[in-house]
Amino acid sequence: MNVLVLNCGSSSVKFQIVATDKARIAKDADRLLAKGLIERVGSLALITFSAEGRAVYKDEAPLKDARAAIDRIARWIVSEEAGIPGVRSMADIHAVGHRVVHGGERFKTSMAIDDKVIAGIEDCVELAPLHNPANLKGIRAARELFGRGVPQIAVFDTAFHATMPETSYLYGIPYQLYRRHKIRRYGFHGTSHRYVSYRYRTMLGLPKEKVDIITLHLGNGCSACAIKKGDSVNTSMGFTPLEGLLMGTRSGDLDPSILEYLALKEGMSLSEIDSMLNKQSGLLGLSGLTGDMRDLLEEEAESQDRRAHLAIEIFCARVRRYIGGYFAEMGGAEALVFTGGIGENSPEIRRRICAGLECLGLSVDSRKNDSLKGTLGAFSKPSSKLKAYVIPTDEELLIARDAYRVVSGIPLPR
Ligand code: ADP
């Protein structure tokens, strides 16, 4: 089955076409047929597409919205120029899988999209006003372009965390506020945490019940997840993706009283403060230079910039704090799993995060750590009680497999 995986953001659309089915899943031989990205949707858009074994196709075109962007993708997919193996017409796309950011309390698993599911995603717009509307636009456009005959499946970023107990998801505020407004912790990056946890399990041949690990998705957005017996029992992002770890431009945890104080001192509105905490904080805010970890590491090495160093140290300290917190909460863990752009590619950040975790039984093999850049492997010593792994994430693959399973009526593994 050829699944088109769509990830529609406010000004970008990413896609992959993945060939998957039962036999391919069993052999771990799903095939990535094509992928692409359209940036700056809404103005002169930047198009970068590539099909398996072919040169990258780049173009610029005025694309006014998600519909225009998906239309552009659909036309390229079936073009001779693209030359995607086995895809000659729209009929060769058998299902469309959508990444949906917020499924609220309602969606605990991936769902075939019908009018009721669309209404449910609409109900979650209040909870994710920046993300869900863009996801909905993508769903509506894909329905129009591919027709009702092509099944569409929603895969939610929040769903993996639906197993969190109340002790993890409730905030210490009046309980009625949870009842009335559903103010609670939801968690995000669920597809990524679920994917790496699944990879960990299959790599080691473990049953789900034996998966007691802490996964660390460190990219532009960052989150940690405590996974016990294969289920998410806690995660660092909360009501929104702002909570938890320090991120590229997000502050992560902070004392909420700062909001009123800031409003008073800087004359800022609440929405200005919210925007500052999401877009001007984190690594960028602390360093005053950049929210990009690779650039920050370069800056630190080349010019010994004090604030670049400080931002990186705070980033690592926060990750360590969450690892320690979850370790205690879970009553111990078997392994740490690093993923995301930073987690997969930066031995230096992994080294700094792990420094001091000997107390949890972790003993790092530095040579192995240095050798892992974007590749799967362990970097703890064989004698280490707590293991450490790099497992590159692949959310699109999981979305494609879920889409295939939902369409084929195969139960979804967690
Ligand atoms: P997103 O969360 O948007 O998907 P990614 O997972 O691609 O982002 O992560 C982007 C982050 O990964 C950036 O901060 C980038 O600098 C960082 N990164 C990528 N490669 C490296 C590297 N070799 N060393 C350090 N940081 C890296």
Side-chain angles (χ1 to χ4, degrees):
M1 175 181 285
N2 295 332
V3 182
L4 172 65
V5 178
L6 283 176
N7 180 354
C8 295
S10 55
S11 67
S12 71
V13 177
K14 282 191 214 157
F15 78 92
Q16 284 193 3
I17 301 175
V18 180
T20 185
D21 56 36
K22 204 171 171 185
R24 285 183 189 275
I25 294 173
K27 283 192 252 149
D28 204 12
D30 317 69
R31 191 167 161 197
L32 175 61
L33 300 175
K35 62 178 182 178
L37 164 68
I38 303 187
E39 296 162 281
R40 297 203 311 231
V41 173
S43 60
L44 187 62
L46 270 177
I47 298 166
T48 315
F49 295 160
S50 62
E52 190 189 44
R54 296 251 181 163
V56 175
Y57 166 88
K58 282 187 183 266
D59 198 6
E60 278 188 352
L63 298 174
K64 69 174 183 353
D65 54 18
R67 194 190 184 291
I70 297 173
D71 184 56
R72 186 75 177 73
I73 292 168
R75 278 190 290 117
W76 179 78
I77 286 173
V78 297
S79 68
E80 246 173 61
E81 189 181 10
I84 302 171
V87 180
R88 270 175 209 88
S89 75
M90 298 279 259
D92 295 319
I93 298 296
H94 308 120
V96 183
H98 294 267
R99 173 184 180 216
V100 180
V101 168
H102 215 309
E105 288 196 319
R106 174 154 170 190
F107 298 113
K108 298 181 173 15
T109 184
S110 303
M111 301 286 292
I113 298 173
D114 57 15
D115 291 339
K116 262 169 77 184
V117 169
I118 290 187
I121 299 172
E122 268 167 355
D123 288 343
C124 300
V125 163
E126 273 192 324
L127 298 171
L130 294 178
H131 296 104
N132 274 27
N135 303 153
L136 277 165
K137 275 188 193 153
I139 291 171
R140 292 207 170 93
R143 266 186 145 192
E144 254 179 74
L145 286 164
F146 289 89
R148 296 284 174 114
V150 178
Q152 314 253 342
I153 293 86
V155 180
F156 300 91
D157 260 14
T158 45
F160 182 60
H161 305 300
T163 46
M164 281 197 290
E166 282 173 310
T167 45
S168 295
Y169 74 67
L170 285 178
Y171 288 110
I173 57 175
Y175 190 79
Q176 308 83 279
L177 296 175
Y178 163 59
R179 283 248 179 83
R180 230 184 281 153
H181 306 296
K182 294 276 173 266
I183 297 175
R184 51 158 284 178
R185 308 184 60 255
Y186 291 95
F188 299 86
H189 285 151
T191 313
S192 177
H193 291 295
R194 182 181 145 208
Y195 176 80
V196 296
S197 141
Y198 161 82
R199 263 275 165 267
Y200 170 83
R201 164 155 71 90
T202 49
M203 175 173 74
L204 297 177
L206 296 171
K208 187 183 152 206
E209 297 66 39
K210 289 262 168 107
V211 177
D212 292 338
I213 58 177
I214 298 168
T215 51
L216 303 157
H217 179 107
L218 310 176
N220 282 317
C222 300
S223 68
C225 184
I227 299 178
K228 197 158 171 73
K229 297 194 166 125
D231 287 331
S232 168
V233 292
N234 209 346
T235 191
S236 57
M237 284 177 167
F239 180 64
T240 75
L242 185 57
E243 190 180 339
L245 302 177
L246 191 84
M247 312 184 207
T249 61
R250 294 191 192 116
S251 64
D253 294 335
L254 86 169
D255 182 341
S257 297
I258 292 170
L259 272 67
E260 193 191 2
Y261 195 71
L262 255 180
L264 219 75
K265 290 284 179 189
E266 294 276 324
M268 291 167 84
S269 70
L270 277 179
S271 74
E272 283 168 337
I273 295 172
D274 189 67
S275 167
M276 186 270 285
L277 294 174
N278 275 287
K279 296 184 184 149
Q280 303 295 326
S281 302
L283 295 174
L284 170 66
L286 281 166
S287 69
L289 295 169
T290 171
D292 187 289
M293 184 58 96
R294 192 172 8 189
D295 295 347
L296 210 52
L297 282 164
E298 268 173 34
E299 200 63 43
E300 185 198 34
E302 276 165 22
S303 53
Q304 279 83 49
D305 187 277
R306 192 188 85 83
R307 275 169 50 194
H309 177 69
L310 192 61
I312 298 168
E313 288 299 302
I314 294 171
F315 177 94
C316 296
R318 187 83 62 98
V319 177
R320 261 201 311 274
R321 191 176 310 152
Y322 267 89
I323 293 172
Y326 288 163
F327 200 83
E329 211 169 73
M330 295 165 70
E334 295 293 320
L336 305 178
V337 175
F338 288 77
T339 195
I342 301 171
E344 292 167 25
N345 297 301
S346 180
E348 175 60 17
I349 295 297
R350 292 195 301 263
R351 182 186 69 74
R352 293 197 205 180
I353 290 172
C354 293
L357 295 186
E358 293 81 9
C359 60
L360 302 182
L362 177 65
S363 179
V364 167
D365 181 328
S366 309
R367 290 240 312 271
K368 276 197 192 147
N369 182 39
D370 289 344
S371 72
L372 294 175
K373 289 179 186 157
T375 45
L376 183 145
F379 64 95
S380 46
K381 289 185 180 154
S383 59
S384 183
K385 196 159 167 281
L386 177 65
K387 309 286 183 209
Y389 292 88
V390 173
I391 302 185
T393 195
D394 194 344
E395 291 158 274
E396 288 82 4
L397 178 65
L398 201 63
I399 294 173
R401 287 181 172 187
D402 267 17
Y404 160 72
R405 290 179 179 121
V406 168
V407 171
S408 313
I410 299 170
L412 294 169
R414 286 201 61 90

